[in-house]
Amino acid sequence: MNNDEQQTDNQDFSFTGLTPDLIANALASVGVDPASGLLALNSYENRVYQFVADDGQRYVAKFYRPARWSDEQILEEHRFTAELVAEEVPVVTPLVLGQQTLHRFGGYRFTVFPSIGGRAVEPGDLDQLERIGRQIGRLHAVARTGTFTHRPTVNYQEFVTESLATLRESPLLPDNLQTAFWAIAEPLAEQLRQVDFSPFEVQRLHGDCHLANMLLRDEMLTFVDFDDARTGPAIQDLWMMLAGDDRQERAIQLDALVSGYEEFCEFDSRQTVLIEPLRSFRIIHYMAWLARRWNDVAFQRAFPWFAEQRYWEQQVLTLKEQFAVLQEDPIDLQPNFNH
């Protein structure tokens, strides 16, 4: 790992120097001059703006959080989306400007995308889930033809060990909940440590595949935001589509997803055993992500509840629920279900 790739909490992850003038000058440097104001889109890890350029076209500019990814990790994400587009999988991929997709200006790295528009995908019926499964299957069929060299892998060390270390150092976990929180966080971590990922094949993934990262336009589902692309088991890009607490209902939803998925890509049904461990990974990692970014005022404005007692009380309950679920058998596919 080179110095550019090292990720430590001591690095400057801030956007304090990213002024409107700097953004406009950065865009002008690649020949995309804004003719409208910059509309900040719903992104916290990076800074993302929509605008109309002087050519009359609508674009989206993404300024990467400093020091989070190396250049190679970002470019590997760009190449992946370009592969998908070449195979007619509907994704948003960066524009090539000046023969490159990643640009630098004023100490920041940025990328320009076409703005495709569209609306968020709402949680739908089983037909909708089957359709989503087909799209993920198409994505994975291409993803399996290559590998990542620089992007990270879904792993216990990052999602659990490092996340819990961050939470131990965070002043945001109330003193009066420390005992209760760690009384469940530690046994849950030990349970997750014992999960064996080795029997399952891994592949390139979207990495953060949920409904908010899909847009519906002209009846086409388009994937956006590959910022968390990484290597891992296929189920990582499927489980977040399952909704509700009813076990049987989630099994039926999964069957609908896989039914569509397998029109384009084979699914290893044994991977259902990883759904709840991966959910636990995400819950723990999300808390640590907020803790690491709390000095960014954008996070304090967007997630004020993170510093409140009731949030941490709820997290104690959530971790207890996850620990209990991990003791149960995984949900099964419903091979005889007709939808």
Side-chain angles (χ1 to χ4, degrees), residues 164 167-168 170 172-188 309 312-313 315-317 319-320:
L164 291 180
L167 293 173
R168 283 197 178 279
S170 175
L172 296 166
L173 176 56
D175 289 342
N176 66 327
L177 289 176
Q178 291 278 347
T179 299
F181 183 87
W182 294 109
I184 184 58
E186 289 175 348
L188 176 60
Q309 170 96 5
W312 293 100
E313 291 172 350
Q315 290 308 100
V316 171
L317 294 176
L319 296 183
K320 288 180 178 178

Side-chain angles (χ1 to χ4, degrees), residues 143-202:
R144 291 180 183 183
T145 64
T147 59
F148 285 142
T149 301
H150 303 281
R151 302 294 298 187
T153 300
V154 176
N155 65 87
Y156 177 87
Q157 176 68 22
E158 176 188 351
F159 281 80
V160 181
T161 303
E162 294 175 11
S163 293
L164 291 180
T166 294
L167 293 173
R168 283 197 178 279
E169 298 298 321
S170 175
L172 296 166
L173 176 56
D175 289 342
N176 66 327
L177 289 176
Q178 291 278 347
T179 299
F181 183 87
W182 294 109
I184 184 58
E186 289 175 348
L188 176 60
E190 177 58 26
Q191 186 79 20
L192 294 171
R193 189 183 65 81
Q194 297 176 31
V195 176
D196 186 6
F197 283 79
S198 63
F200 307 107
E201 292 187 8
V202 295

Side-chain angles (χ1 to χ4, degrees), residues 36-41 48-52 58-61 115-117:
S36 71
L38 300 167
L39 174 64
L41 300 182
V48 182
Y49 305 92
Q50 186 183 75
F51 62 95
V52 176
R58 193 178 300 275
Y59 297 93
V60 170
S115 177
I116 66 164

Side-chain angles (χ1 to χ4, degrees), residues 269-283:
S269 62
R270 297 177 305 153
Q271 289 193 17
T272 60
V273 74
L274 300 178
I275 291 176
E276 294 307 326
L278 289 170
R279 190 192 309 277
S280 300
F281 276 22
R282 185 175 179 84
I283 291 168

Side-chain angles (χ1 to χ4, degrees), residues 45-111:
E45 187 61 17
N46 304 295
R47 294 294 185 266
V48 182
Y49 305 92
Q50 186 183 75
F51 62 95
V52 176
D54 58 5
D55 61 2
Q57 300 298 309
R58 193 178 300 275
Y59 297 93
V60 170
K62 174 180 177 179
F63 286 78
Y64 291 90
R65 182 172 290 273
R68 179 169 181 251
W69 296 129
S70 70
D71 285 0
E72 275 304 317
Q73 287 171 324
I74 295 172
L75 290 170
E76 195 163 53
E77 171 206 335
H78 293 182
R79 290 191 293 270
F80 181 37
T81 59
E83 283 181 53
L84 293 167
V85 168
E87 296 298 326
E88 301 183 343
V89 178
V91 306
V92 178
T93 192
L95 295 171
V96 178
L97 303 170
Q99 299 184 326
Q100 54 191 343
T101 57
L102 181 62
H103 315 282
R104 290 181 177 272
F105 190 91
Y108 292 93
R109 294 171 296 174
F110 69 99
T111 295

